[in-house]
Amino acid sequence: MVLSEGTIPEHENVSPAVTVRGSRRLFAGRFEIFPIMHEDLNWAIGGEAGDGIDSTGKIFARALSRAGRHVYTSKDFASRIRGGYTAYKIRTAVEPVESVVDRLDVLIALTERTIDENLAELHEGSVIIYDGEQATMQGVDVPEEMIGLDVPLQRLAEDAGGAIMRNVVALGAACEVAAFPIENLDEALEKRFGDKGRAIVENNREAARLGQEYVRENYDHDFGYGLETTDNDYVLLNGDEAIGMGAIAAGCRFYAGYPITPATDIMEYLTGRIEQFGGAVVQAEDELAAINLALGAARAGARSMTGTSGPGIDLMSETFGLVATTETPLVIANVMRSGPSTGMPTKQGQEDLNMMLYGGHGEIPRFVLAPTTIAECFHKTIEAFNLAEKYQVPVYLTADLSMAVTERTYEPEEFDMDAVEIERGKVVDGGDVEEWLDDQGRFRAHAATEDGVSPRAFPGTTDGAHMTTGLEHDELGRRTEDEDVRVEQVQKRQRKVETAREREDFEPREFGDPNADTLVLTWGSNEGAIREAMAQLDEVSVRLLSVPYIHPRPDLTEAVEAAEDVLVVEANATGQFADLIEQDTLERVQRINKYTGVRFKADELAAEIRDAVAKTEVTQ
Amino acid sequence: MSSDVHFTDFKSDKQPTWCPGCGDFGTMNGMMKALSETGNHPDETFLVAGIGCSGKIGTYMHSYALHGVHGRALPVGTGVKIANPDLEVMVAGGDGDGYSIGVGHFIHAVRRNVDMTYVVMDNRIYGLTKGQASPTSREDFETSTSPEGTNVPPVNPKALALSAGATFIAQSFSSDSQRHTELVRQAIEHDGFGFVNVYSPCVTFNDVDTYDYFRGSIVDLEDTDHDSGSFDQAKDRILDSDKEYIGVLYQDDDSVPYSEREGIEGSMADIPDGAPDGATDLVREFY
Ligand SMILES: Cc1ncc(C[n+]2csc(CCOP(=O)(O)OP(=O)(O)O)c2C)c(N)n1
Ligand code: SF4
Ligand SMILES: [Mg+2]
């Protein structure tokens, strides 16, 4: 099941479908086990918020990654029913994984509800690890076709030195179930608890071993998993971290933000790190302030950034026009979640495309970049800073919840710092400022040049002093209502977009069969799930164009005209990207929309694509 | 450099369109004088102006400047100064800009104590929008939007500042040119957030808070035994609604400005052509 490839960038790995290899019937003790042997594993730990779910999940993810296995994680924050439930899910394989599937093989359930929440994903032979000695777990009812492992997590943790380590006991038990060498946990535990002292690390290692031994002694059998390890060294990071690291790599020195899920991780990542590179993070009093703080830093010449999610974008739209009309380079990260209003704050959504394209009164060019993978979050952040400065525009860098808070493994070379190039555009210094003075020695900060880009003098540059304003202004940055000057300034700002189109490569990422009749178009984080869906679709050959440049964007007319079925996949109800494609190409497209708040899954996308194509065949 | 900068170097060639007699003329002149007297240069000064009649100052002065969105001047100035602590940063705006739409930012700017100067041209009216009540308008002040008075007590910005941890609070009067210049100069020289509220009368829309009114009621703290280092005395003067004091109400000599506290040195504008040294360590952290 190898993916047919179009132009796959070198740094991207081809992802296989769910690989289910081998088949063997197991009789072990009183269990009859689902007759498959898994090379990949879908694992989860779930409980109440505050149970340390996230950090335990991360320890296991890191252990897998250190053992040379690929990992893709996802999080369930809140419930379909009521608050409190949270889970950390891991999909791991030797080959790269970049999507979630509807399957759960091993579940550590700290609460009864964790089992209920995951019933749809659990299957015959799934293993559920729980602590039957807990009062709340007395009534646990493990479905007959599944395997319940009742492990006294808390008691064993106490034996190891403290009840607080019960999740780590569970990790040890899970290692035994998955036949994953427990030594791999050691380094991850060191990383997590190292700063708390040797004793704590050792206690945790002991706790894990107690969990492992308990399963070995009490449930003596082979669960059918054999998690192969490799010598590969991977790094494990989420989209927000990739954006933060990209920002530092790009020379960003100033970040202002107001906490909001799922963008906060960017600010938290930068805090404590950017300072080491001479920068600062300011926690603003609100997003109105955040964007103005970032604007001020950018006017001072710093590479500057702010970040938020939908509700914050609403507030920032007040100042967006000011940033754009003063031609200030600024990167605004919009990590989308589900709206409108407060919506579903911890759920996936790609609903703010129109807001980014059209938000703010008046007409003003802006750039919108939408990285399609976690690694691309890093690369596109660097590109966003370069574009912002080269064209002196605000750049929306938009990720979404499912990418922002999802950890994924990569080869470290993917984040090659030596390859980073900084392009600052038309910055003038003491030497060349003179070229840009008018006959009275005044700096022409908004000079209407041929390419639309004006010179930029950082404060402190001799003879460069100038003002700029949100009022319509002349080339000196001073207020005007002169008709000719107004038209000239509108056109010069607009011209920057044309210049960028000419100079930059705003190409989509292409996968699959370039000659396929079925064309799938998407933007943002859906790329991975679609690629895995394609690998499942033996009978339908698909060409995928995954578009990271929303504005300015590539012209997809030829591709759309050449295809029989054009399917546009996005996580919103109305099809905002599909609207753009129809507007650009004057062709009708089919829409695959998901707005449940849950990310696209490979299996369901495969079914959707299959259905859509079948429907066309019937009507023909 | 101080000796060869004249205050007129801070003047642009745009002629102000303020009404003849507007207090903002005097306010601006004092700012330009204070800037030159403190050895600043237009090429190393950044002025952020609010929106209002007062905000037009960005056009009439010469320096690096941004005339932004109504109420958001302080965050912009804060960003400029943090990104380049070598610049002299001055923020100027009206009472509506600073104490109504921007009052949230005012409190937080005070708390951060960034080393910059904030001059509020307080005319107790909305000038640019032609005469509506402002947050500092008196309770019985009749305007187009408050025909029977505002019926709410005015904001006391100096009290807000003091309670938010201000390290420098001064009040001046635009027509007392020498004293006003002196107070702005002290605010510039202060190591931290220098806040100067300026009585800057609107001759067109405010017939209550006039030059005559201020001349008749102002008490200069210099003529009293006021100790500006005393928080309690500052509090008493600031809450005394019977008098219009001018002078330095409060100054904390132990003030540590933001950049010093956070260890920020030099301009953030200077960056290498590639990723900064040590960036690869960031990747290693993710092992
Ligand atoms: C968001 C927004 N709301 C309203 C306005 C209209 N507006 C411009 S200036 C102003 C008030 C000005 O009052 P003040 O800050 O006291 O300045 P003054 O004109 O008195 O100097 C208002 C309401 C605006 N520009 N922006
Ligand atoms: S309206 Fe008032 S504040 Fe505005 S310029 Fe005229 S006098 Fe000055
Ligand atoms: Mg006013």
Side-chain angles (χ1 to χ4, degrees):
Chain A
M1 241 193 284
V2 175
L3 221 101
S4 48
E5 299 176 24
T7 48
I8 296 181
E10 252 178 314
H11 51 77
E12 280 290 322
N13 283 303
V14 182
S15 138
V18 183
T19 49
V20 181
R21 290 181 207 144
S23 169
R24 139 176 105 100
R25 208 163 180 81
L26 276 174
F27 294 93
R30 57 198 168 93
F31 306 118
E32 182 175 325
I33 293 176
F34 193 54
I36 54 170
M37 170 156 170
H38 298 296
E39 267 294 318
D40 72 327
L41 175 76
N42 294 284
W43 176 98
I45 178 166
E48 291 202 9
D51 278 345
I53 301 300
D54 226 56
S55 80
T56 312
K58 228 169 178 169
I59 291 169
F60 197 51
R62 179 142 280 126
L64 291 160
S65 151
R66 294 305 290 142
R69 294 184 60 84
H70 277 291
V71 164
Y72 183 93
T73 75
S74 61
K75 291 171 195 173
D76 289 357
F77 283 103
S79 156
R80 288 160 271 235
I81 314 157
R82 63 201 135 103
Y85 161 74
T86 164
Y88 188 103
K89 297 186 169 171
I90 296 176
R91 188 166 159 226
T92 173
V94 170
E95 305 294 328
V97 271
E98 48 183 327
S99 158
V100 288
V101 286
D102 262 329
R103 206 183 81 221
L104 196 49
D105 307 313
V106 177
L107 172 66
I108 298 171
L110 297 182
T111 58
E112 202 178 337
R113 188 160 144 223
T114 302
I115 301 173
D116 299 340
E117 291 279 346
N118 289 287
L119 276 179
E121 292 180 18
L122 290 162
H123 53 79
E124 189 180 346
S126 288
V127 176
I128 299 172
I129 299 168
Y130 66 99
D131 184 350
E133 291 181 5
Q134 297 308 303
T136 51
M137 300 299 280
Q138 297 290 328
V140 165
D141 183 22
V142 174
E144 213 167 283
E145 70 279 16
M146 299 174 199
I147 305 163
L149 299 189
D150 183 351
V151 182
L153 304 175
Q154 178 147 345
R155 183 152 53 80
L156 294 175
E158 280 162 6
D159 291 347
I164 192 160
M165 293 182 293
R166 67 171 178 165
N167 294 2
V168 177
V169 175
L171 285 183
C175 284
E176 178 64 14
V177 170
F180 181 60
I182 198 160
E183 297 70 37
N184 292 306
L185 273 185
D186 290 347
E187 196 181 329
L189 288 170
E190 171 81 45
K191 181 150 181 143
R192 173 70 181 78
F193 298 112
D195 58 353
K196 298 200 159 80
R198 279 264 45 85
I200 305 269
V201 175
E202 289 311 323
N203 287 352
N204 275 284
R205 287 178 177 167
E206 172 65 11
R209 277 166 182 76
L210 291 180
Q212 178 192 36
E213 278 159 25
Y214 189 89
V215 173
R216 190 173 286 166
E217 281 161 19
N218 294 279
Y219 302 95
D220 173 29
H221 67 271
D222 183 344
F223 291 89
Y225 298 97
L227 295 194
E228 197 186 308
T229 61
T230 76
D231 291 333
N232 296 334
D233 277 327
Y234 298 130
V235 289
L236 178 73
L237 70 169
N238 70 30
D240 276 350
E241 290 167 333
I243 289 172
M245 182 165 68
I248 294 180
C252 173
R253 292 288 181 274
F254 187 91
Y255 185 95
Y258 184 78
I260 186 167
T261 304
T264 313
D265 280 6
I266 302 176
M267 180 157 68
E268 291 184 342
Y269 173 83
L270 290 172
T271 304
R273 291 189 178 82
I274 204 171
E275 296 84 348
Q276 295 165 23
F277 298 89
V281 173
V282 178
Q283 181 173 330
E285 53 271 28
D286 52 40
E287 290 86 348
L288 303 167
I291 189 171
N292 279 282
L293 281 154
L295 163 65
R299 293 306 306 178
R303 282 199 156 191
S304 173
M305 181 175 186
T306 180
T308 186
S309 190
I313 291 292
D314 288 352
L315 293 194
M316 289 188 187
S317 65
E318 178 193 57
T319 297
F320 185 83
L322 174 68
V323 175
T325 197
T326 57
E327 306 195 73
T328 308
L330 188 68
V331 176
I332 305 167
N334 176 17
V335 188
M336 292 178 289
R337 63 190 212 187
S338 189
S341 189
T342 312
M344 300 194 287
T346 59
K347 294 288 184 179
Q348 162 71 347
Q350 296 181 310
E351 303 160 19
D352 302 344
L353 193 64
N354 287 340
M355 179 66 187
M356 290 183 283
L357 286 171
Y358 311 116
H361 65 281
E363 298 172 310
I364 194 85
R366 75 277 314 267
F367 286 18
V368 181
L369 295 192
T372 55
T373 66
I374 291 170
E376 280 294 296
C377 284
F378 173 80
H379 298 296
K380 284 286 172 290
T381 302
I382 297 166
E383 193 174 342
F385 278 101
N386 284 339
L387 290 172
E389 287 207 309
K390 274 156 71 178
Y391 301 100
Q392 297 169 16
V393 288
V395 178
Y396 274 122
L397 174 76
T398 185
D400 54 51
L401 183 130
S402 74
M403 185 155 56
V405 300
T406 291
E407 274 102 20
R408 204 198 129 165
T409 40
Y410 281 99
E411 310 268 356
E413 292 74 29
E414 177 69 41
F415 308 97
D416 180 4
M417 293 295 179
D418 294 332
V420 174
E421 281 174 34
I422 307 297
E423 298 171 83
R424 305 211 65 181
K426 277 193 204 164
V427 176
V428 300
D429 57 24
D432 42 11
V433 78
E434 214 146 306
E435 274 175 52
W436 295 100
L437 302 181
D438 72 356
D439 50 10
Q440 292 175 60
R442 300 172 301 190
F443 186 68
R444 297 160 58 218
H446 296 285
T449 57
E450 211 167 302
D451 61 7
V453 184
S454 310
R456 202 168 150 227
F458 299 154
T461 306
T462 305
D463 294 336
H466 62 272
M467 80 163 299
T468 185
T469 169
L471 291 161
E472 188 55 274
H473 42 257
D474 59 18
E475 61 174 13
L476 299 175
R478 304 202 303 198
R479 175 191 194 151
T480 183
E481 287 179 2
D482 179 287
E483 289 180 32
D484 294 336
V485 177
R486 153 76 176 177
V487 170
E488 184 179 63
Q489 286 292 318
V490 169
Q491 288 179 347
K492 75 86 79 182
R493 293 192 292 257
Q494 216 60 52
R495 207 148 60 230
K496 295 192 287 188
V497 178
E498 295 320 310
T499 302
R501 268 194 236 276
E502 282 160 24
R503 293 184 187 165
E504 308 291 332
D505 258 343
F506 294 133
E507 293 299 319
R509 288 152 61 83
E510 174 157 4
F511 306 96
D513 173 4
N515 300 313
D517 286 338
T518 305
L519 172 66
V520 174
L521 298 175
T522 194
W523 65 288
S525 69
N526 313 317
E527 180 188 295
I530 299 173
R531 289 178 65 191
E532 291 208 2
M534 285 159 68
Q536 292 178 30
L537 286 168
D538 281 337
E539 70 285 18
V540 189
S541 136
V542 172
R543 177 187 191 191
L544 167 62
L545 295 177
S546 171
V547 186
Y549 301 100
I550 310 295
H551 189 78
R553 63 183 165 273
D555 182 355
L556 300 176
T557 312
E558 249 175 62
V560 167
E561 283 176 352
E564 222 149 90
D565 286 292
V566 181
L567 312 174
V568 182
V569 177
E570 54 193 314
N572 56 41
T574 58
Q576 299 176 23
F577 186 61
D579 287 345
L580 288 183
I581 300 295
E582 290 190 346
Q583 175 192 314
D584 286 357
T585 64
L586 302 178
E587 294 277 346
R588 281 283 175 206
V589 299
Q590 299 178 60
R591 296 158 193 243
I592 298 181
N593 300 95
K594 184 172 182 183
Y595 43 97
T596 57
V598 179
R599 71 183 75 196
F600 281 106
K601 295 177 182 173
D603 358 27
E604 77 190 359
L605 270 173
E608 289 269 6
I609 294 170
R610 205 177 275 128
D611 279 2
V613 173
K615 235 179 257 163
T616 323
E617 275 162 9
V618 168
T619 50
Q620 269 170 358
Chain B
M1 134 199 342
S2 53
S3 53
D4 53 14
V5 175
H6 190 256
F7 90 91
T8 51
D9 292 339
F10 282 97
K11 209 167 150 45
S12 84
D13 50 12
K14 273 260 184 192
Q15 284 314 306
T17 57
W18 287 316
C19 306
C22 175
D24 294 350
F25 285 101
T27 307
M28 177 170 80
N29 281 334
M31 287 166 63
M32 296 193 296
K33 282 184 192 150
L35 278 166
S36 60
E37 283 173 16
T38 45
N40 287 294
H41 189 283
D43 284 335
E44 277 143 25
T45 300
F46 202 108
L47 173 69
V48 186
I51 295 283
C53 291
S54 43
K56 293 181 181 175
I57 192 170
T59 312
Y60 308 146
M61 279 176 63
H62 175 63
S63 70
Y64 284 90
L66 182 121
H67 178 232
V69 171
H70 190 29
R72 316 291 171 228
L74 277 174
V76 176
T78 304
V80 172
K81 183 68 183 185
I82 293 174
N84 188 353
D86 298 335
L87 297 172
E88 185 61 45
V89 176
M90 191 164 278
V91 177
D95 41 311
D97 193 82
Y99 308 144
S100 189
I101 192 166
V103 69
H105 308 308
F106 175 56
I107 306 288
H108 294 282
V110 166
R111 289 176 60 220
R112 286 190 191 101
N113 201 31
V114 171
D115 189 8
M116 58 189 192
T117 304
Y118 183 36
V119 176
V120 179
M121 302 152 164
D122 182 2
N123 52 16
R124 302 181 174 177
I125 188 86
Y126 282 11
L128 191 70
T129 47
K130 301 195 164 82
Q132 301 79 25
S134 101
T136 48
S137 295
R138 302 172 191 208
E139 209 164 336
D140 57 0
F141 185 40
E142 293 167 14
T143 72
S144 57
T145 52
S146 61
E148 327 233 310
T150 69
N151 297 326
V152 288
V155 159
N156 183 338
K158 287 164 281 186
L160 290 178
L162 191 73
S163 63
T167 57
F168 183 97
I169 304 171
Q171 174 66 58
S172 78
F173 178 35
S174 65
S175 86
D176 189 344
S177 164
Q178 199 186 332
R179 201 64 181 106
H180 168 61
T181 303
E182 214 169 85
L183 289 165
V184 176
R185 200 185 63 216
Q186 280 176 269
I188 292 172
E189 285 168 344
H190 174 69
D191 284 333
F193 189 76
F195 165 47
V196 187
N197 192 68
V198 188
Y199 296 139
S200 190
C202 170
V203 294
T204 306
F205 296 111
N206 192 330
D207 55 4
V208 182
D209 301 295
T210 59
Y211 286 102
D212 284 345
Y213 162 73
F214 284 114
R215 281 195 194 106
S217 47
I218 274 174
V219 176
D220 194 329
L221 290 169
E222 277 208 324
D223 304 331
T224 71
D225 59 357
H226 181 70
D227 172 8
S228 62
S230 160
F231 184 91
D232 288 335
Q233 288 191 30
K235 186 182 70 186
D236 291 344
R237 304 278 185 195
I238 285 171
L239 294 179
D240 176 357
S241 50
D242 295 336
K243 300 225 171 57
E244 306 281 12
Y245 293 105
I246 63 165
V248 178
L249 285 142
Y250 181 67
Q251 180 163 21
D252 177 359
D253 288 333
D254 298 327
S255 161
V256 182
Y258 184 94
S259 296
E260 198 179 316
R261 211 171 61 229
E262 301 293 326
I264 298 167
E265 282 166 21
S267 169
M268 293 180 185
D270 307 325
I271 56 169
D273 292 341
D277 284 347
T280 301
D281 291 343
L282 297 174
V283 185
R284 290 200 191 100
E285 269 188 64
F286 290 113
Y287 274 129

